[in-house]
Amino acid sequence: AQSVTQLDSHVSVSEGTPVLLRCNYSSSYSPSLFWYVQHPNKGLQLLLKYTSAATLVKGINGFEAEFKKSETSFHLTKPSAHMSDAAEYFCVVSASKIIFGSGTRLSIRP
Amino acid sequence: NAGVTQTPKFQVLKTGQSMTLQCAQDMNHEYMSWYRQDPGMGLRLIHYSVGAGITDQGEVPNGYNVSRSTTEDFPLRLLSAAPSQTSVYFCASRLKGQGYTEAFFGQGTRLTVV
């Protein structure tokens, strides 16, 4: 069985401060994990992916995520938030099928 | 390459009508799937397929039908539309097998059932 839980439905940070979006997963098999971003009224864009190589994965726009098997976590971070980061973020587990988390809406305060 | 193509982009249906959402990919991907996106619920898996002639149910299959006669196409049929099926629908595809690659998504179909 596969599942993914995004622990926060909404995160609000000030511009220039760090971002942390939390994701826990469950999978019977060794999964691949992804983060996608969706800006308002737009499609889905791949931010980064983990496919069993390095546990620290770097993505686009300064985002990175660390795969921790012992904690079954794949949290997304960015050192310094920018106004353009405001969007919906989805953690995705991919094994026999592709399952999405419920999403985290990231708001950036000026 | 066109990638994943969904049609139509927008659709308004009356309750009880039927329709088919089209999804086609030109990347020879074995895996294809359909999702619906509703506020606060992420993308929920409706049906998926791991190859021509093989389909399986996802999390929310009721009211939807699929078939996979070719590798390229994976249509989603609404048999009798209901207002609860108002949503944005996404189709995705990816390669099957080990070292799973990322999925590619269509641009979505915004469906309103009145």
Side-chain angles (χ1 to χ4, degrees):
Chain A
Q2 295 169 232
S3 68
V4 57
T5 302
Q6 290 184 243
L7 298 166
D8 306 290
S9 59
H10 182 216
V11 170
S12 180
V13 302
S14 297
E15 190 174 22
T17 64
V19 174
L20 170 63
L21 305 184
R22 299 181 295 165
C23 172
N24 287 113
Y25 72 92
S26 170
S27 177
S28 303
Y29 305 95
S30 181
S32 293
L33 296 160
F34 305 88
W35 279 96
Y36 283 82
V37 61
Q38 186 180 38
H39 288 91
N41 297 313
K42 298 289 186 183
L44 293 152
Q45 181 183 19
L46 179 68
L47 266 183
L48 50 80
K49 62 181 179 182
Y50 166 77
T51 54
S52 78
T55 56
L56 184 61
V57 181
K58 294 188 183 301
I60 62 172
N61 300 334
F63 284 95
E64 61 182 39
E66 186 171 9
F67 173 73
K68 292 186 176 180
K69 187 174 182 179
S70 60
E71 298 176 11
T72 60
S73 69
F74 190 56
H75 301 334
L76 181 70
T77 61
K78 183 173 180 177
S80 177
H82 191 273
M83 294 300 291
S84 61
D85 294 329
E88 187 96 18
Y89 291 79
F90 296 100
C91 183
V92 176
V93 61
S94 178
S96 57
K97 51 192 174 184
I98 301 171
I99 300 295
F100 279 72
S102 55
T104 298
R105 181 166 61 91
L106 177 62
S107 300
I108 313 296
R109 302 187 298 271
Chain B
N1 282 345
V4 180
T5 303
Q6 282 184 242
T7 56
K9 288 187 169 50
F10 301 94
Q11 183 72 49
V12 179
L13 284 181
K14 294 183 178 178
T15 297
Q17 285 185 317
S18 63
M19 79 158 296
T20 300
L21 307 185
Q22 301 291 346
C23 177
Q25 51 88 15
D26 60 359
M27 298 171 282
N28 205 30
H29 285 172
E30 298 96 339
Y31 178 100
M32 296 184 74
S33 53
W34 276 102
Y35 300 84
R36 58 176 291 171
Q37 183 176 23
D38 303 292
M41 305 187 80
L43 278 73
R44 291 181 292 169
L45 182 64
I46 303 171
H47 286 285
Y48 66 104
S49 167
V50 296
I54 306 169
T55 64
D56 207 347
Q57 295 181 351
E59 304 162 277
V60 288
N62 292 341
Y64 306 95
N65 205 357
V66 292
S67 60
R68 184 97 180 267
S69 55
T70 67
T71 299
E72 295 78 19
D73 300 296
F74 191 44
L76 179 72
R77 296 181 187 85
L78 280 69
L79 307 174
S80 177
S84 60
Q85 294 178 304
T86 294
S87 188
V88 180
Y89 292 83
F90 286 95
C91 178
S93 74
R94 64 137 211 244
L95 289 169
K96 193 181 76 169
Q98 294 184 354
Y100 300 102
T101 60
E102 72 266 26
F104 293 80
F105 290 88
Q107 286 303 300
T109 296
R110 188 173 294 273
L111 175 68
T112 302
V113 182
V114 298

